[in-house]
Amino acid sequence: MPVGPGPSLPSDVTQQTLDRGLLETPAIWQLLLLASAISVYVLFRPRRGRVAPRPSVASRLVIIATLLGMAGVFWLNDYVGYVRTPHDLAILMQRGTGWTVGAGRGLADITAPDDDYIKHARNQLAGAHDTGGALRVVRVSLPDPGRGVPAGPANVLLPPGYDDPANAHRRYPVVYLIHGFPAGSSDDWFTAGDALHTMRDLLADRLVQPMIVVAPDMTAGQPATDWECLNVPGGPQLEDYLVDAVVPAVDQRFRTMGDRRHRALGGMSGGGYCALNIGLKHLARFGSLLITLPYDSLGDSAGILAGHPELIPPNTPQTYLPTMPFRYPVSVMIATGRSAPTDVTTTYRVANVLAARGQYVAVHLEPGLTHTWRAARAALPYLLAFADQAFGPPPGGHAAPPAGPGKPTAVALPPHAPSAAGGTRPPGARQHDGHRYHAGVRSGGRAAIAHNG
């Protein structure tokens, strides 16, 4: 099966995903390190003559340790990219307990005017509805006590004009994005992943059609546990929850195009494993998979299935993928940081097996990034553009206007689709619906690689 590169996107879309937020600025931890050094000098330098007494040695060490600890935290955040802005910090604090919840709410109120995510979420909670064409985030609760899942909040990004009466009968394709494990949250793709701004830029450049993006909560109320979206014996049945509870609930509550071709499943790290494992086992539900920071085995997370070793092989794509039957074709994009050797190895391994099995696959490697949210954020516009190609033309066959002079459009192979006889249609060169496509080339069964930069 021919394979091709992932989408090629304009720099105004990709650059904003690489830009650091205020709290990711290296200058913060560098200044804290400088403050630590100055504190050591001031608090421990020899003193002559009669001077005021200094704090105890223990107190002075606490001051220095606090500054060094804060420098370490900000350095780690600079590297990982989990908390971009003060609003991201406010959302994270509200996931805590005690005073941090109230402080987080107060900080959210202060940052709300400058943050699209919280602004739209607050408007929705207040009962306001946008009919003017802006993106908005809806927060819904999707509990499933029968499967061991308490009230799990999901964030749903609705496209511009969703509430416009003129679009009352329009339906939209859906992308599901799963957070990482452990300590993940349904907020992650909208804070660390910056999904709202990425979608805004893709739509502004006419690179994707309007779509719904859903970020469900897959923590089962225990974010510190590494569930990996599994059906855990004696625990939450998260695979069944996603497939049989979340997807039907979203289809019921929102105007979705409720068929497999118009439904994509994606995720990062543990969420990427989740999307790969669940997607492959439920190809009747998902027509495309969007994987970033991938892995294809449980590794240390297999402990969640302790006492049930028979469940490990059927939840290890590396084991079952080479021989699994494909009743439905699937389009898969895998993205990771080029500086993460283990991820790159996993990416090639999965992509090459999929290609050898006749499935449509593309790979994107992001220069200079590793297994972090910064890499996932940088990959998101490519994943969404790839999903758009898999979805096909918008309802009615009318694509958005061209991006304009000098503005490149997304380029990808059109994904294969089942024919009336249940076969596949190979991609070929064509000009269609405002997007440029080109035919892929066979390369010994290996996945083609799209490099950015």
Side-chain angles (χ1 to χ4, degrees):
M1 180 71 188
V3 296
S8 175
L9 298 173
S11 60
D12 65 321
V13 172
T14 59
Q15 184 58 47
Q16 67 91 14
T17 67
L18 296 171
D19 291 340
R20 284 179 165 84
L22 176 63
L23 298 185
E24 298 173 290
T25 306
I28 297 178
W29 61 264
Q30 293 169 356
L31 288 173
L32 285 168
L33 279 180
L34 178 61
S36 301
I38 294 174
S39 297
V40 170
Y41 173 74
V42 171
L43 294 175
F44 286 94
R45 65 175 177 167
R47 304 172 70 182
R48 299 177 180 177
R50 300 183 62 182
V51 294
R54 291 191 293 196
S56 66
V57 172
S59 298
R60 284 177 275 167
L61 289 175
V62 167
I63 293 172
I64 295 169
T66 299
L67 289 170
L68 287 173
M70 292 176 62
V73 168
F74 278 99
W75 172 85
L76 182 62
N77 187 62
D78 170 28
Y79 176 73
V80 174
Y82 190 61
V83 182
R84 301 173 304 117
T85 66
H87 163 66
D88 289 0
L89 178 61
I91 295 298
L92 181 63
M93 293 172 67
Q94 291 179 65
R95 288 160 51 187
T97 59
W99 67 269
T100 61
V101 176
R105 289 172 181 166
L107 182 58
D109 288 337
I110 295 173
T111 59
D114 299 320
D115 194 286
D116 287 342
Y117 169 56
I118 190 64
K119 179 172 65 177
H120 289 298
R122 283 162 55 89
N123 287 344
Q124 186 274 328
L125 290 173
H129 293 281
D130 166 60
T131 58
L135 289 159
R136 71 182 179 99
V137 178
V138 178
R139 195 170 178 87
V140 298
S141 181
L142 301 175
D144 189 356
R147 294 186 174 93
V149 181
N155 286 304
V156 181
L157 178 62
L158 298 176
Y162 181 88
D163 296 307
D164 191 328
N167 295 323
H169 300 291
R170 181 173 182 177
R171 294 186 173 273
Y172 301 88
V174 185
V175 172
Y176 291 85
L177 294 176
I178 311 301
H179 55 75
F181 292 91
S185 163
S186 58
D187 290 321
D188 286 355
W189 277 106
F190 289 94
T191 53
D194 203 20
L196 188 146
H197 293 102
T198 294
M199 180 61 77
R200 178 199 63 191
D201 290 346
L202 288 169
L203 290 170
D205 280 4
R206 309 295 196 268
L207 296 170
V208 300
Q209 63 187 286
M211 62 183 71
I212 296 172
V213 177
V214 180
D217 182 352
M218 301 299 291
T219 66
Q222 301 178 52
T225 303
D226 198 354
W227 296 117
E228 302 293 345
C229 296
L230 296 171
N231 285 341
V232 180
Q237 306 298 290
L238 287 168
E239 177 182 335
D240 292 346
Y241 169 68
L242 177 62
V243 174
D244 297 325
V246 174
V247 170
V250 170
D251 286 343
Q252 181 179 17
R253 297 188 187 195
F254 302 97
R255 298 195 310 276
T256 67
M257 301 172 72
D259 60 89
R260 68 176 301 274
R261 178 180 180 183
H262 296 96
R263 188 184 294 127
L265 178 61
M268 66 84 66
S269 191
Y273 161 84
C274 171
L276 181 65
N277 186 45
I278 291 181
L280 289 174
K281 293 198 287 183
H282 297 274
L283 292 178
R285 291 293 187 99
F286 304 101
S288 50
L289 306 179
L290 315 171
I291 316 299
T292 184
L293 317 186
Y295 57 93
D296 55 358
S297 65
L298 285 168
D300 295 340
S301 301
I304 200 71
L305 298 175
H308 296 271
E310 74 281 1
L311 296 180
I312 295 177
N315 285 292
T316 304
Q318 184 179 354
T319 298
Y320 66 72
L321 181 55
T323 58
M324 71 168 283
F326 281 86
R327 294 181 55 208
Y328 300 89
V330 63
S331 299
V332 183
M333 183 170 186
I334 310 175
T336 193
R338 190 186 297 174
S339 298
T342 300
D343 285 359
V344 171
T345 298
T346 303
T347 294
Y348 284 134
R349 181 170 60 239
V350 175
N352 291 331
V353 172
L354 285 166
R357 302 301 309 282
Q359 305 309 304
Y360 177 73
V361 59
V363 169
H364 173 80
L365 302 180
E366 189 64 38
L369 297 181
T370 58
H371 194 100
T372 65
W373 264 107
R374 292 187 61 222
R377 188 192 317 160
L380 184 58
Y382 296 96
L383 299 175
L384 294 174
F386 181 86
D388 176 74
Q389 303 288 359
F391 295 150
H398 299 291
K407 188 79 71 174
T409 57
V411 180
L413 286 170
H416 54 286
S419 67
T424 61
R425 183 189 68 229
R430 62 173 178 167
Q431 179 81 24
H432 184 62
D433 296 308
H435 293 288
R436 292 187 292 112
Y437 297 85
H438 63 86
V441 293
R442 187 176 299 276
S443 179
R446 296 187 62 84
I449 307 301
H451 295 291
N452 179 39

